[in-house]
Amino acid sequence: MASKRCLFFIILATIVVSGAITQVKAYTSSYCSHDSRCPGQYISCPSECPESSSNDPNTKVCRIDCYSPKCKAQCKHNKPECDTPGSACYDPRFIGGDSIVFYFHGKANEHFSLVSDSNLQINGRFIGHQPTGRTRPFTWIQALGLLFNSHSFSLEATKSATWDGGIDHLKFSYDGEDVSLALGGLSSWKSPEGEIEVERTSEVNSVMVNIPGVVEILVNVVPVTAEDDKIHGYNVPSDDCFAHLEVQFKFTGLSDGVEGVLGRTYQPDFKNPAKPGVAMAVVGGEDKYRTTSLLSSDCANCIYDSSNVAEKENSMIKEYGTLDCSAKGLFRGNGIVCKK
């Protein structure tokens, strides 16, 4: 009898989880968990953007962020907003978690930690071009490398002599293997364990990367345009349009000790060396945040450690080894272990 009752709740849990997965794919409202900034609230999408997805990349969609103090839905394009906190765009210009704008130039053909936390490492590969007579190269972020839960994921803008906006310039890998993502809006890929998902937000060159409960990343590939070249004096060569990434991060549950070029700006007591209102404020830190590769966490200030992930998983197994199989226990958000 107990086994039948337990089986019923497992089936019920499967239905609940399936519904949650469907809702993440396209929702019109969302329930915020009790550990969020909007605990226990149902937030509905407004009439101006009634759903969270659209086949039209120019249409604004509903975005519900339960970790935002506003606790309300917003209508946004599913592309990076380069003038909001958590963004890294242009050559490269960052806006920190403290809303302060700063530039970090890094160095061409090297890698730097953008975010380093106990459970997440995000690196950027910088590309660049140094015109004759200039003391340093112009740089852009060409690729991102992620380490999480003992896995690795990378995405990069592929090199191209000239820009064709109808061709996809994105390349992906997961645990060292290439990932194939079908062209077309809303096509998606999910890792076998479901720990990371990539969804196209337009036909080509724009995606949303989601590690549930950790980070959501909006990515767009753009070239250095002729207009950019003229305004900034990049003097890019004719055989490379320097395709690069525009990126916006939305983090969940960063630790107070988070590090990285961008990550440190989310520390509660961080004193940003870039002063508000200063035009083109450039910050250093190359020696602190340089990594040996796109998928390594060996910078001087990096705090990511894959062994910590394994220890956390083991502690969770010990903590939840025997659980309540009743409906009350089921909806506490714990896993289920049923014994006859």
Side-chain angles (χ1 to χ4, degrees):
M1 188 69 176
S3 296
K4 289 182 179 179
R5 194 160 47 240
C6 187
L7 178 60
F8 167 76
F9 286 120
I10 291 174
I11 293 171
L12 179 59
T14 303
I15 294 171
V16 170
V17 171
S18 298
I21 292 172
T22 301
Q23 189 184 52
V24 168
K25 191 71 175 178
Y27 57 77
T28 57
S29 63
S30 183
Y31 174 77
C32 295
S33 64
H34 287 279
D35 61 351
S36 69
R37 287 191 176 184
C38 313
Q41 293 189 36
Y42 278 100
I43 302 177
S44 299
C45 297
S47 58
E48 294 82 2
C49 56
E51 295 188 356
S52 64
S53 61
S54 172
N55 288 313
D56 183 358
N58 297 315
T59 298
K60 288 187 176 183
V61 296
C62 176
R63 301 294 301 279
I64 296 176
D65 183 3
C66 291
Y67 291 86
S68 167
K70 294 181 180 180
C71 294
K72 66 177 183 179
Q74 294 180 299
C75 296
K76 294 186 175 183
H77 291 292
N78 260 342
K79 288 188 178 182
E81 295 184 326
C82 294
D83 294 319
T84 58
S87 60
C89 304
Y90 315 129
D91 55 348
R93 189 192 76 172
F94 295 82
I95 302 183
D98 52 8
S99 299
I100 295 177
V101 178
F102 65 94
Y103 288 78
F104 176 83
H105 297 307
K107 191 173 180 181
N109 303 315
E110 292 193 5
H111 307 89
F112 297 90
S113 169
L114 304 184
V115 178
S116 185
D117 209 352
S118 58
N119 64 337
L120 176 69
Q121 177 82 18
I122 303 177
N123 297 334
R125 178 191 295 137
F126 286 53
I127 56 172
H129 170 65
Q130 185 169 348
T132 303
R134 185 174 172 81
T135 57
R136 70 158 187 86
F138 294 105
T139 53
W140 300 271
I141 298 174
Q142 179 264 339
L144 294 179
L146 284 67
L147 300 174
F148 62 98
N149 294 352
S150 302
H151 296 291
S152 66
F153 177 83
S154 69
L155 64 87
E156 61 181 275
T158 56
K159 184 176 180 178
S160 180
T162 58
W163 180 257
D164 183 343
I167 296 175
D168 191 44
H169 296 267
L170 276 168
K171 181 180 179 181
F172 311 92
S173 75
Y174 176 72
D175 287 347
E177 300 291 332
D178 288 345
V179 170
S180 178
L181 181 60
L183 301 181
L186 300 186
S187 64
S188 64
W189 169 89
K190 184 182 291 186
S191 65
E193 304 87 353
E195 294 179 274
I196 184 170
E197 183 175 9
V198 185
E199 180 180 332
R200 289 196 185 274
T201 55
S202 64
E203 293 291 320
V204 293
N205 296 319
S206 299
V207 295
M208 178 167 60
V209 179
N210 185 32
I211 302 177
V214 180
V215 65
E216 179 183 281
I217 311 171
L218 290 172
V219 179
N220 191 38
V221 183
V222 294
V224 173
T225 65
E227 183 180 3
D228 294 334
D229 197 12
K230 182 178 180 180
I231 293 173
H232 299 286
Y234 293 141
N235 295 326
V236 296
S238 59
D239 62 347
D240 195 344
C241 68
F242 287 92
H244 59 279
L245 306 179
E246 294 178 334
V247 185
Q248 185 175 25
F249 301 96
K250 186 179 76 176
F251 301 104
T252 301
L254 290 173
S255 73
D256 289 349
V258 61
E259 273 289 354
V261 174
L262 177 65
R264 59 183 173 170
T265 66
Y266 287 83
Q267 296 175 8
D269 56 352
F270 179 68
K271 300 294 188 292
N272 201 320
K275 302 303 179 183
V278 176
M280 300 289 290
V282 179
V283 301
E286 285 85 352
D287 292 341
K288 295 179 181 179
Y289 299 116
R290 181 181 286 107
T291 63
T292 54
S293 71
L294 186 64
L295 295 170
S296 63
S297 57
D298 54 1
C299 76
N301 280 26
C302 288
I303 64 172
Y304 176 81
D305 186 351
S306 58
S307 64
N308 290 338
V309 176
E311 290 173 6
K312 183 177 179 181
E313 290 173 349
N314 290 335
S315 67
M316 289 178 67
I317 291 172
K318 291 178 182 179
E319 182 178 356
Y320 299 118
T322 303
L323 297 171
D324 183 0
C325 288
S326 68
K328 183 180 179 181
L330 171 62
F331 290 104
R332 285 179 183 152
N334 297 329
I336 301 172
V337 176
C338 297
K339 294 183 179 181
K340 186 174 180 181

